[in-house]
C-alpha cells in the first residue's frame, strides 16, 4: 500500500506552523515559528502584527517542514489548512498560501477546523476509540464536544462568556505577570494555598455550560481593593485560589458530561491542556474512562494537529475548491439535546 503524505498549514493566531504527516500518525516534521516575543509588550496578540509575521514566515516554514520531512513535493498527496476559527487576517495568510501551493502542485485542498485539530492532536500519541468526549480548553474556547465517529462533532456544552485561557491571561495581567501567563499561574498555584473563596459559577446547575467572567471579576475586584488599601496579596495564594476554582468548574462539568454520554475515551486538548494542575486532577478524579492528553509540544497551536485532523477528511474526500475563504467564527454544530 502506498504511503500517504499530507502537508498542513496552521496560522489561526500567533504561531506560523507547517507540518508533514505520513499516513495516520507518523509526524515527519512540525515546524513552529512563535510570535510570543512580539506580542508580550502588548499583553496580548495584536492581529495586524500577527498577520504580518505570518506573511514573513510562511514560505520559510514550508521549506523547512519539507526539508525536515526529507520528501519531495511530488510525493505529497494533499495540502491541509486551518480555515477557522481564528483571527481573520492570520487565517487568510495560511489559506492563501495553502491554495497557492495546492494549485501550483495540482494537489487537493483539505479544509480543517482549528478545534478539530486540537482534538486530533491526541491521535498522534494514542489510538482514539469512538464515541468519545473531548474537553477543548484554550485561549479562545472552552467546550465539551461529543464525537460519535471521526469527522462528526457536536458541542454539548460551552462557555457563555470568557474562555478559560482568556481568564488566565486577564488575571495574570492584573498580577503583573508576563503574557501568556497560564504557565506561570500554574507554577505559582502549586506553591500557594487556596485561601480565597472565589465563585464556582454554574457548578451545581444541571447543564454542561461554563462561565468564567464572574470568577475573573471577583479576582480583579479583590486585587484592586487590596491595592487601593495598600495591602499586598500573595501572587502564589491568588494563583492557587483562582486555579482551584477553574479546575473545580472544568472537572464538575466534564464528570456530568461523562455521566450523560457513554464514551470510550475522554480527550483533553488545547493550550490549557498543558496545565499541570488540570492533568493532576484528571488523573485523580477520572479513573473509569480512558483519558488521552496530547504532550506539551502538541497542546499549543501547531500544524501537526491540523494534519492529524485532515486524515478523516481526506478519506471522505472532503476537499475544498480554490475559492476557499477564512471563516473566523467557524464552529462545530451545537447539540439540540
Amino acid at each position: 500500500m502506498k504511503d500517504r503524505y499530507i502537508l498542513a498549514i496552521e496560522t489561526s493566531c500567533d504561531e506560523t506552523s507547517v507540518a508533514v504527516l505520513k499516513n495516520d500518525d507518523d509526524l515527519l516534521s512540525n515546524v513552529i515559528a512563535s510570535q510570543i516575543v512580539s506580542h508580550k509588550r502588548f499583553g496580548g496578540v495584536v492581529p495586524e502584527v500577527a498577520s504580518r509575521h505570518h506573511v514573513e514566515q510562511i514560505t520559510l516554514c514550508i521549506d523547512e517542514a519539507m526539508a525536515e520531512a526529507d520528501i519531495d513535493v511530488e510525493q505529497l498527496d494533499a495540502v491541509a489548512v486551518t480555515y477557522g476559527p481564528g483571527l481573520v487576517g492570520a487565517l487568510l495568510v495560511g489559506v492563501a498560501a495553502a491554495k497557492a501551493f495546492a494549485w501550483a502542485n495540482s494537489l487537493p485542498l483539505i479544509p480543517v477546523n482549528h478545534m478539530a485539530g486540537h482534538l486530533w492532536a491526541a491521535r498522534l500519541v494514542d489510538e482514539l476509540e469512538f464515541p468519545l468526549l473531548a474537553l477543548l480548553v484554550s485561549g479562545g474556547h472552552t467546550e465539551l464536544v461529543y464525537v460519535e465517529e471521526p469527522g462528526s462533532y457536536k458541542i454539548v456544552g460551552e462557555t457563555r462568556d470568557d474562555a478559560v485561557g482568556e481568564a488566565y491571561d486577564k488575571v495574570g495581567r492584573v498580577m503583573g505577570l508576563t503574557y501568556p501567563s497560564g504557565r506561570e499561574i500554574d507554577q505559582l498555584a502549586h506553591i500557594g494555598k487556596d485561601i480565597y473563596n472565589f465563585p464556582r459559577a454554574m457548578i451545581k446547575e444541571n447543564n454542561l455550560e461554563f462561565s468564567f467572567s464572574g470568577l475573573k471579576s471577583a479576582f480583579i475586584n479583590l486585587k484592586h481593593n487590596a491595592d487601593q488599601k495598600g495591602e499586598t496579596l500573595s501572587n502564589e495564594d491568588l494563583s492557587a485560589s483562582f486555579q482551584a476554582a477553574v479546575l473545580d468548574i472544568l472537572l464538575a462539568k466534564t464528570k456530568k458530561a461523562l455521566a450523560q454520554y457513554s464514551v470510550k475515551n475522554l480527550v483533553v486538548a488545547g493550550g490549557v491542556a498543558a496545565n499541570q494542575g488540570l492533568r493532576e486532577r484528571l488523573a485523580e478524579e477520572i479513573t473509569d474512562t480512558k483519558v488521552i492528553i496530547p504532550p506539551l509540544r502538541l497542546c499549543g497551536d501547531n500544524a501537526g494537529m491540523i494534519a492529524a485532523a485532515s486524515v478523516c477528511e481526506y478519506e471522505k474526500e472532503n476537499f475544498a475548491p480554490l475559492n476557499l475563504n477564512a471563516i473566523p467564527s467557524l464552529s462545530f454544530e451545537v447539540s439540540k439535546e
Side-chain angles (χ1 to χ4, degrees):
M1 183 176 176
K2 176 183 177 294
D3 289 326
R4 179 189 61 236
Y5 297 93
I6 296 176
L7 178 82
I9 295 173
E10 155 63 28
T11 63
S12 65
C13 191
D14 62 337
E15 272 89 21
T16 311
S17 184
V18 181
V20 175
L21 181 71
K22 178 182 177 182
N23 299 325
D24 291 352
D25 55 9
D26 187 0
L27 194 58
L28 301 182
S29 63
N30 192 19
V31 175
I32 304 171
S34 176
Q35 304 176 11
I36 286 179
V37 174
S38 294
H39 298 286
K40 256 183 182 177
R41 54 188 163 147
F42 303 112
V45 178
V46 179
E48 176 64 19
V49 173
S51 301
R52 289 179 180 273
H53 277 302
H54 288 312
V55 171
E56 294 168 358
Q57 295 292 330
I58 189 64
T59 55
L60 298 174
C61 289
I62 291 173
D63 290 343
E64 186 176 344
M66 289 294 292
E68 189 176 318
D70 194 24
I71 65 169
D72 298 323
V73 173
E74 291 74 19
Q75 293 175 263
L76 291 174
D77 293 281
V79 179
V81 64
T82 302
Y83 74 114
L87 302 174
V88 64
L91 288 166
L92 284 169
V93 176
V95 169
K99 289 195 294 186
F101 193 96
W103 176 80
N105 296 287
S106 300
L107 293 168
L109 181 66
I110 307 172
V112 177
N113 184 310
H114 177 77
M115 299 310 294
H118 277 304
L119 193 161
W120 279 96
R123 177 67 178 82
L124 298 173
V125 293
D126 206 341
E127 190 73 33
L128 300 184
E129 294 184 82
F130 298 87
L132 62 79
L133 182 73
L135 172 65
L136 302 181
V137 279
S138 67
H141 295 80
T142 302
E143 53 196 38
L144 285 161
V145 181
Y146 177 70
V147 188
E148 186 172 13
E149 61 182 12
S152 172
Y153 312 102
K154 284 192 176 180
I155 295 176
V156 296
E158 60 186 331
T159 182
R160 293 185 177 179
D161 37 64
D162 288 9
V164 63
E166 179 184 5
Y168 267 92
D169 285 334
K170 287 180 178 177
V171 302
R173 189 179 304 131
V174 172
M175 284 192 287
L177 307 182
T178 57
Y179 171 87
S181 50
R183 181 180 178 184
E184 191 171 355
I185 291 174
D186 185 26
Q187 292 171 338
L188 292 171
H190 281 78
I191 301 171
K193 296 179 180 179
D194 176 14
I195 62 173
Y196 302 110
N197 187 28
F198 288 130
R200 275 78 163 156
M202 303 176 66
I203 197 168
K204 295 181 179 179
E205 293 187 19
N206 190 29
N207 59 43
L208 301 178
E209 303 295 295
F210 302 89
S211 175
F212 296 102
S213 64
L215 167 60
K216 175 199 65 182
S217 297
F219 182 101
I220 293 173
N221 288 338
L222 176 70
K223 183 70 168 63
H224 283 175
N225 287 339
D227 290 345
Q228 289 169 359
K229 295 175 183 177
E231 299 174 356
T232 301
L233 302 181
S234 160
N235 276 356
E236 289 83 358
D237 292 340
L238 285 170
S239 297
S241 300
F242 171 77
Q243 180 150 296
V246 167
L247 299 186
D248 282 350
I249 296 169
L250 291 178
L251 267 294
K253 296 297 183 174
T254 301
K255 290 176 185 175
K256 284 181 182 177
L258 288 172
Q260 291 182 29
Y261 294 89
S262 178
V263 297
K264 296 179 179 178
N265 291 160
L266 169 66
V267 171
V268 181
V272 181
N275 183 286
Q276 193 59 38
L278 175 57
R279 289 172 176 248
E280 291 166 0
R281 290 280 299 269
L282 288 165
E284 293 169 3
E285 300 178 34
I286 299 181
T287 56
D288 53 356
T289 302
K290 183 178 180 180
V291 180
I292 304 175
I293 310 174
L296 297 183
R297 63 187 174 84
L298 295 175
C299 285
D301 294 347
N302 67 93
M305 70 184 196
I306 302 305
S310 74
V311 171
C312 66
E313 307 299 336
Y314 179 88
E315 292 174 345
K316 294 178 180 179
E317 297 187 355
N318 180 21
F319 302 133
L322 289 178
N323 64 353
L324 176 70
N325 202 357
I327 304 179
S329 58
L330 183 68
S331 176
F332 293 138
E333 177 185 354
V334 178
S335 176
K336 300 296 191 290
E337 296 178 12

